[in-house]
Coordinates of all heavy atoms in Angstrom, one line a residue:
M22 N 191.8 386.0 128.3 CA 192.5 384.9 127.6 C 194.0 384.9 128.1 O 194.6 385.9 128.4 CB 192.6 385.3 126.1 CG 192.9 384.1 125.3 SD 192.8 384.6 123.5 CE 194.5 384.1 123.0
S23 N 194.4 383.7 128.3 CA 195.8 383.4 128.9 C 196.8 383.8 127.9 O 196.8 383.5 126.7 CB 196.0 382.0 129.3 OG 197.3 381.8 129.6
T24 N 197.9 384.5 128.4 CA 199.0 384.7 127.5 C 200.2 384.0 128.0 O 201.3 384.3 127.6 CB 199.4 386.3 127.5 OG1 199.6 386.7 128.8 CG2 198.2 387.1 126.9
D25 N 200.0 383.0 128.8 CA 201.1 382.2 129.4 C 201.9 381.5 128.3 O 201.3 381.1 127.3 CB 200.6 381.2 130.4 CG 200.1 381.8 131.7 OD1 200.3 383.0 131.8 OD2 199.6 381.0 132.5
R26 N 203.2 381.3 128.5 CA 204.0 380.6 127.6 C 204.8 379.5 128.4 O 205.2 380.0 129.6 CB 204.9 381.4 126.8 CG 204.2 382.4 125.8 CD 203.7 381.7 124.6 NE 204.9 381.4 123.6 CZ 204.8 380.7 122.5 NH1 203.6 380.1 122.2 NH2 205.8 380.6 121.8
W27 N 205.0 378.4 128.0 CA 205.8 377.4 128.7 C 207.1 377.2 127.9 O 207.1 377.1 126.7 CB 205.0 376.1 128.8 CG 203.8 376.2 129.7 CD1 203.4 377.2 130.5 CD2 203.0 375.0 129.9 NE1 202.3 376.8 131.2 CE2 202.0 375.5 130.9 CE3 202.9 373.8 129.4 CZ2 200.9 374.7 131.3 CZ3 201.8 373.0 129.9 CH2 200.9 373.5 130.8
H28 N 208.2 377.0 128.7 CA 209.5 376.6 128.2 C 209.7 375.1 128.4 O 209.5 374.6 129.5 CB 210.5 377.4 128.9 CG 211.9 377.1 128.3 ND1 212.4 377.6 127.1 CD2 212.9 376.3 128.8 CE1 213.6 377.1 126.9 NE2 213.9 376.3 127.9
V29 N 210.0 374.4 127.4 CA 210.1 372.9 127.5 C 211.6 372.5 127.2 O 212.2 373.0 126.2 CB 209.3 372.2 126.4 CG1 209.3 370.7 126.6 CG2 207.8 372.7 126.5
E30 N 212.2 371.7 128.1 CA 213.6 371.2 127.9 C 213.6 369.7 128.1 O 212.8 369.1 128.9 CB 214.4 371.8 128.9 CG 215.2 373.0 128.4 CD 216.1 373.6 129.5 OE1 216.8 372.8 130.1 OE2 216.2 374.9 129.6
V31 N 214.5 369.1 127.4 CA 214.8 367.6 127.7 C 216.3 367.6 128.1 O 217.2 368.1 127.3 CB 214.6 366.7 126.4 CG1 215.1 365.3 126.7 CG2 213.1 366.8 126.1
S32 N 216.5 367.0 129.2 CA 217.9 367.0 129.7 C 218.7 365.7 129.2 O 218.1 364.8 128.6 CB 217.9 366.9 131.3 OG 217.6 365.6 131.7
H33 N 219.9 365.6 129.6 CA 220.8 364.5 129.2 C 220.4 363.3 130.0 O 221.0 362.2 129.7 CB 222.3 364.8 129.4 CG 222.7 365.9 128.5 ND1 222.8 365.7 127.2 CD2 223.2 367.1 128.7 CE1 223.3 366.8 126.5 NE2 223.4 367.7 127.5
D34 N 219.4 363.4 130.9 CA 218.9 362.2 131.6 C 218.0 361.3 130.8 O 217.7 360.2 131.1 CB 218.2 362.6 132.8 CG 219.1 363.2 133.9 OD1 220.3 362.9 134.0 OD2 218.6 364.0 134.8
C35 N 217.7 361.9 129.6 CA 216.8 361.1 128.7 C 217.4 359.7 128.3 O 218.6 359.7 128.0 CB 216.6 361.9 127.4 SG 215.7 360.9 126.1
I36 N 216.6 358.7 128.5 CA 217.1 357.3 128.1 C 216.6 356.8 126.8 O 216.7 355.6 126.5 CB 216.8 356.3 129.3 CG1 215.2 356.3 129.6 CG2 217.6 356.7 130.6 CD1 214.8 355.2 130.5
G37 N 215.9 357.7 126.2 CA 215.4 357.3 124.8 C 214.2 356.4 124.7 O 214.1 355.5 123.8
S38 N 213.4 356.4 125.8 CA 212.3 355.5 125.9 C 211.3 355.7 124.8 O 210.6 354.8 124.3 CB 211.5 355.6 127.2 OG 210.8 356.8 127.2
G39 N 211.2 356.9 124.2 CA 210.3 357.3 123.2 C 208.9 357.5 123.6 O 208.0 357.9 122.8
M40 N 208.6 357.5 125.0 CA 207.2 357.6 125.4 C 206.7 359.0 125.1 O 205.6 359.2 124.7 CB 207.2 357.4 127.0 CG 207.2 356.0 127.3 SD 207.3 355.8 129.1 CE 205.9 356.8 129.7
C41 N 207.6 360.0 125.3 CA 207.1 361.4 125.1 C 206.7 361.6 123.6 O 205.6 362.2 123.2 CB 208.1 362.4 125.5 SG 209.7 362.2 124.8
A42 N 207.6 361.2 122.8 CA 207.4 361.4 121.3 C 206.1 360.6 120.8 O 205.4 361.0 119.9 CB 208.6 361.0 120.5
G43 N 205.9 359.4 121.5 CA 204.8 358.6 121.1 C 203.5 359.2 121.6 O 202.5 359.3 120.9
A44 N 203.5 359.8 122.8 CA 202.3 360.4 123.4 C 202.0 361.8 122.8 O 200.9 362.2 122.8 CB 202.4 360.5 124.9
A45 N 203.1 362.5 122.5 CA 202.9 363.9 122.1 C 203.9 364.3 120.9 O 204.8 365.0 121.1 CB 203.1 364.8 123.3
P46 N 203.7 363.6 119.8 CA 204.6 363.8 118.7 C 204.7 365.2 118.1 O 205.6 365.6 117.5 CB 204.1 362.9 117.6 CG 202.6 362.6 117.9 CD 202.5 362.7 119.4
E47 N 203.6 366.0 118.5 CA 203.7 367.4 118.0 C 204.7 368.3 118.9 O 205.0 369.4 118.5 CB 202.3 368.1 118.0 CG 201.6 368.2 119.2 CD 200.8 366.9 119.6 OE1 201.2 365.8 119.4 OE2 199.6 367.0 120.0
F48 N 205.0 367.7 120.0 CA 205.8 368.4 121.0 C 207.2 367.8 121.2 O 208.2 368.5 121.7 CB 205.2 368.5 122.3 CG 203.9 369.3 122.3 CD1 202.7 368.8 122.4 CD2 204.0 370.7 122.2 CE1 201.5 369.5 122.3 CE2 202.8 371.4 122.1 CZ 201.6 370.9 122.2
F49 N 207.4 366.4 120.9 CA 208.7 365.9 121.1 C 209.0 365.0 120.0 O 208.1 364.3 119.3 CB 208.6 365.0 122.5 CG 208.3 365.7 123.7 CD1 207.1 365.7 124.2 CD2 209.4 366.5 124.4 CE1 206.8 366.5 125.3 CE2 209.1 367.1 125.5 CZ 207.8 367.2 126.0
R50 N 210.3 364.9 119.6 CA 210.7 364.0 118.6 C 212.1 363.3 119.0 O 212.8 363.9 119.9 CB 210.9 364.8 117.3 CG 212.0 365.8 117.4 CD 212.1 366.7 116.1 NE 212.9 367.8 116.3 CZ 212.6 369.0 115.8 NH1 211.7 369.2 114.8 NH2 213.4 370.1 116.0
L51 N 212.4 362.2 118.5 CA 213.6 361.5 118.8 C 214.6 361.9 117.7 O 214.3 361.8 116.5 CB 213.4 360.0 118.8 CG 212.6 359.5 120.0 CD1 212.6 357.9 119.9 CD2 213.1 359.9 121.4
V52 N 215.8 362.3 118.2 CA 216.9 362.6 117.3 C 218.1 361.8 117.7 O 218.5 361.9 119.0 CB 217.3 364.1 117.3 CG1 218.5 364.4 116.4 CG2 216.1 364.9 116.8
D53 N 218.6 360.9 116.9 CA 219.7 360.0 117.3 C 219.4 359.2 118.6 O 220.2 359.0 119.5 CB 221.0 360.8 117.4 CG 221.5 361.4 116.2 OD1 221.2 360.9 115.1 OD2 222.2 362.5 116.2
G54 N 218.2 358.8 118.7 CA 217.8 358.0 119.8 C 217.4 358.7 121.1 O 217.0 358.1 122.1
Y55 N 217.5 360.0 121.1 CA 217.1 360.8 122.3 C 216.1 361.8 121.9 O 216.0 362.4 120.9 CB 218.4 361.5 123.0 CG 219.3 360.4 123.5 CD1 220.4 360.0 122.7 CD2 219.1 359.8 124.7 CE1 221.3 359.1 123.2 CE2 220.0 358.8 125.1 CZ 221.0 358.5 124.3 OH 221.9 357.4 124.8
A56 N 215.2 362.2 123.0 CA 214.1 363.1 122.7 C 214.7 364.6 122.7 O 215.6 364.9 123.4 CB 213.1 362.9 123.8
E57 N 214.0 365.4 121.9 CA 214.2 366.8 122.0 C 212.8 367.4 121.8 O 212.0 366.9 121.1 CB 215.2 367.3 121.1 CG 214.8 367.2 119.6 CD 215.9 367.8 118.7 OE1 217.1 367.8 119.0 OE2 215.5 368.3 117.6
P58 N 212.6 368.7 122.3 CA 211.4 369.4 122.1 C 211.3 369.8 120.6 O 212.3 370.3 120.1 CB 211.5 370.6 123.1 CG 212.7 370.4 123.9 CD 213.6 369.5 123.2
V59 N 210.1 369.7 120.1 CA 209.9 370.2 118.8 C 210.0 371.8 118.8 O 210.6 372.4 117.9 CB 208.6 369.8 118.2 CG1 208.3 370.4 116.8 CG2 208.6 368.3 118.0
H60 N 209.5 372.3 119.8 CA 209.6 373.8 120.1 C 209.9 373.9 121.6 O 209.4 373.3 122.4 CB 208.2 374.5 119.8 CG 207.6 374.3 118.5 ND1 208.2 374.8 117.3 CD2 206.6 373.5 118.1 CE1 207.4 374.4 116.3 NE2 206.5 373.6 116.7
T61 N 210.8 374.9 121.8 CA 211.3 375.0 123.2 C 210.3 376.0 124.0 O 210.3 376.0 125.2 CB 212.7 375.6 123.3 OG1 212.7 376.8 122.5 CG2 213.7 374.5 122.8
E62 N 209.5 376.8 123.2 CA 208.5 377.6 123.9 C 207.2 377.4 123.2 O 207.0 377.4 122.0 CB 208.8 379.1 123.8 CG 208.3 379.9 125.0 CD 208.8 381.3 124.9 OE1 210.0 381.6 125.1 OE2 207.9 382.2 124.7
I63 N 206.2 377.1 124.1 CA 204.9 376.6 123.6 C 203.7 377.4 124.3 O 203.9 377.9 125.4 CB 204.7 375.1 123.8 CG1 204.7 374.8 125.2 CG2 205.8 374.4 123.0 CD1 204.2 373.3 125.5
D64 N 202.6 377.3 123.7 CA 201.4 377.7 124.5 C 201.1 376.5 125.4 O 201.3 375.3 125.1 CB 200.2 377.9 123.4 CG 200.4 379.1 122.6 OD1 201.0 380.1 123.1 OD2 199.9 379.2 121.5
P65 N 200.5 376.7 126.6 CA 200.2 375.7 127.6 C 199.4 374.6 127.0 O 198.4 374.8 126.3 CB 199.5 376.5 128.7 CG 200.0 377.9 128.6 CD 200.2 378.1 127.1
D66 N 199.8 373.4 127.3 CA 199.1 372.2 126.8 C 199.4 371.1 127.8 O 200.6 370.7 128.0 CB 199.5 371.8 125.4 CG 198.6 370.8 124.8 OD1 198.2 369.8 125.5 OD2 198.3 370.9 123.6
E67 N 198.3 370.6 128.4 CA 198.6 369.5 129.4 C 199.2 368.3 128.9 O 199.7 367.4 129.7 CB 197.2 369.2 130.1 CG 196.8 370.1 131.2 CD 195.5 369.8 131.9 OE1 195.1 368.6 131.8 OE2 195.0 370.7 132.5
V68 N 199.2 368.0 127.6 CA 199.8 366.8 127.0 C 201.3 366.9 127.4 O 201.9 365.9 127.6 CB 199.6 366.8 125.4 CG1 200.5 365.8 124.8 CG2 198.1 366.5 125.2
V69 N 201.8 368.1 127.4 CA 203.3 368.2 127.7 C 203.6 368.1 129.1 O 204.6 367.4 129.5 CB 203.7 369.7 127.1 CG1 205.2 369.9 127.5 CG2 203.6 369.7 125.6
T70 N 202.8 368.6 130.0 CA 203.1 368.4 131.4 C 202.8 366.9 131.8 O 203.5 366.3 132.6 CB 202.2 369.3 132.3 OG1 200.9 369.4 131.8 CG2 202.8 370.7 132.5
D71 N 201.8 366.3 131.2 CA 201.6 364.8 131.4 C 202.8 364.0 130.9 O 203.2 363.1 131.7 CB 200.4 364.3 130.6 CG 199.0 364.8 131.3 OD1 199.1 365.4 132.4 OD2 198.0 364.7 130.6
A72 N 203.3 364.4 129.8 CA 204.5 363.7 129.3 C 205.7 363.8 130.2 O 206.4 362.9 130.5 CB 204.9 364.2 127.9
A73 N 205.9 365.0 130.8 CA 207.0 365.3 131.7 C 206.8 364.5 133.0 O 207.7 363.9 133.6 CB 207.0 366.8 132.1
D74 N 205.5 364.4 133.5 CA 205.2 363.6 134.7 C 205.4 362.1 134.4 O 205.7 361.4 135.4 CB 203.8 363.9 135.2 CG 203.6 365.3 135.8 OD1 204.6 365.8 136.3 OD2 202.5 365.8 135.7
Q75 N 205.3 361.7 133.2 CA 205.3 360.2 132.9 C 206.7 359.8 132.4 O 207.0 358.6 132.3 CB 204.3 359.9 131.9 CG 202.9 359.9 132.5 CD 201.7 359.9 131.6 OE1 201.9 359.6 130.4 NE2 200.6 360.3 132.0
C76 N 207.6 360.7 132.1 CA 208.9 360.4 131.6 C 209.6 359.5 132.7 O 209.8 359.9 133.8 CB 209.7 361.6 131.3 SG 211.5 361.2 131.0
P77 N 210.1 358.3 132.3 CA 210.7 357.5 133.3 C 212.0 358.0 133.9 O 212.5 357.6 134.9 CB 210.9 356.1 132.5 CG 210.9 356.5 131.1 CD 210.0 357.8 131.0
A78 N 212.6 358.9 133.1 CA 213.9 359.5 133.6 C 213.8 360.9 134.2 O 214.8 361.5 134.6 CB 214.9 359.5 132.4
E79 N 212.5 361.4 134.3 CA 212.3 362.7 134.7 C 213.2 363.8 133.9 O 213.8 364.7 134.5 CB 212.5 362.9 136.2 CG 211.4 362.1 137.0 CD 211.3 362.5 138.4 OE1 212.1 363.4 138.9 OE2 210.4 362.0 139.1
A80 N 213.3 363.5 132.6 CA 214.3 364.2 131.8 C 213.6 365.5 131.2 O 214.3 366.3 130.7 CB 214.8 363.4 130.6
I81 N 212.3 365.5 131.3 CA 211.6 366.7 130.6 C 211.2 367.6 131.7 O 210.7 367.3 132.8 CB 210.2 366.2 130.0 CG1 210.5 365.1 128.9 CG2 209.4 367.3 129.4 CD1 209.2 364.5 128.4
S82 N 211.5 368.9 131.5 CA 211.0 370.0 132.4 C 210.2 371.0 131.7 O 210.5 371.3 130.5 CB 212.2 370.6 133.1 OG 213.0 371.4 132.2
V83 N 209.1 371.4 132.4 CA 208.2 372.4 131.8 C 208.2 373.6 132.8 O 207.9 373.4 134.0 CB 206.8 371.9 131.6 CG1 205.9 372.9 130.9 CG2 206.9 370.5 130.8
V84 N 208.6 374.7 132.3 CA 208.7 375.9 133.2 C 207.8 377.0 132.6 O 207.8 377.3 131.4 CB 210.1 376.4 133.2 CG1 210.2 377.7 134.1 CG2 211.0 375.3 133.9
D85 N 207.0 377.7 133.5 CA 206.3 378.8 133.1 C 207.2 380.0 132.9 O 208.0 380.4 133.7 CB 205.3 379.2 134.2 CG 204.4 380.4 133.8 OD1 203.5 380.2 133.1 OD2 204.7 381.5 134.3
V86 N 207.2 380.5 131.6 CA 208.1 381.6 131.3 C 208.1 382.8 132.1 O 209.1 383.3 132.6 CB 208.0 381.9 129.8 CG1 208.8 383.1 129.4 CG2 208.4 380.7 128.9
A87 N 206.9 383.2 132.3 CA 206.7 384.5 133.1 C 207.1 384.4 134.6 O 207.8 385.3 135.1 CB 205.2 384.9 133.0
S88 N 206.7 383.3 135.3 CA 207.1 383.2 136.6 C 208.3 382.4 137.0 O 208.9 382.5 138.0 CB 205.9 382.5 137.4 OG 205.8 381.1 137.0
G89 N 208.8 381.6 136.0 CA 210.0 380.8 136.2 C 209.7 379.5 137.0 O 210.6 378.8 137.5
K90 N 208.3 379.3 137.3 CA 207.9 378.2 138.1 C 208.0 376.9 137.4 O 207.5 376.8 136.2 CB 206.5 378.5 138.6 CG 206.0 377.5 139.6 CD 204.6 378.0 140.1 CE 204.0 377.0 141.1 NZ 203.1 376.0 140.5
T91 N 208.5 375.9 138.0 CA 208.5 374.6 137.4 C 207.0 373.9 137.5 O 206.5 373.8 138.6 CB 209.4 373.6 138.1 OG1 210.8 374.2 137.9 CG2 209.4 372.2 137.5
L92 N 206.6 373.6 136.3 CA 205.2 373.1 136.2 C 205.2 371.6 136.2 O 204.2 370.9 136.7 CB 204.4 373.6 135.0 CG 204.4 375.2 135.0 CD1 203.9 375.6 133.6 CD2 203.5 375.7 136.1
A93 N 206.3 371.0 135.7 CA 206.3 369.5 135.6 C 207.8 369.2 135.4 O 208.5 369.9 134.7 CB 205.5 368.9 134.6
P94 N 208.3 368.1 135.9 CA 207.5 367.1 136.7 C 207.3 367.6 138.1 O 208.0 368.4 138.6 CB 208.4 365.8 136.7 CG 209.8 366.4 136.6 CD 209.7 367.7 135.8
V95 N 206.2 367.1 138.7 CA 205.8 367.4 140.0 C 206.2 366.2 140.9 O 206.2 365.1 140.4 CB 204.3 367.7 140.2 CG1 204.0 369.1 139.6 CG2 203.4 366.6 139.6
D96 N 206.6 366.5 142.1 CA 207.0 365.4 143.1 C 205.8 364.6 143.4 O 204.6 365.1 143.6 CB 207.7 366.0 144.3 CG 209.0 366.6 143.9 OD1 209.6 366.1 142.9 OD2 209.4 367.6 144.6
Ligands
SF4_5 S1 209.8 360.0 127.9 FE1 211.7 360.9 128.9 S2 213.2 359.2 128.6 FE2 211.6 358.7 127.2 S3 212.3 359.7 125.3 FE3 211.0 361.2 126.3 S4 212.4 362.4 127.5 FE4 213.6 360.6 126.9

């Protein structure tokens, strides 16, 4: 069983499109018009990496806690 944990961040590049909160409301919410993670550390879930890949501002980053590797967005 995986014990991986992911760290989720939203940067100041967020333009408040709301896409992430719409697609993954359990992981992102809008506060004063900008997104923030509901939890900064989560169990791996592809919904979150998909949201990071689809963010129009590339404002969401998902990092594997153990390795420090950036999982999304991918180039
Ligand atoms: S998808 Fe990106 S730009 Fe849109 S609200 Fe989420 S973090 Fe901000």
Side-chain angles (χ1 to χ4, degrees):
M22 197 177 126
S23 170
T24 56
D25 289 355
R26 294 281 283 170
W27 288 358
H28 181 77
V29 184
E30 264 184 39
V31 176
S32 80
H33 293 296
D34 292 334
C35 172
I36 56 172
S38 72
M40 280 176 56
C41 56
E47 62 272 46
F48 294 108
F49 299 98
R50 62 186 166 212
L51 290 185
V52 178
D53 296 333
Y55 295 98
E57 66 175 33
V59 175
H60 305 288
T61 54
E62 206 176 296
I63 62 167
D64 290 328
D66 192 320
E67 275 183 22
V68 168
V69 175
T70 41
D71 286 349
D74 287 333
Q75 286 161 20
C76 170
E79 294 195 357
I81 300 169
S82 67
V83 185
V84 174
D85 182 79
V86 170
S88 70
K90 183 172 182 271
T91 297
L92 304 171
V95 289
D96 294 328

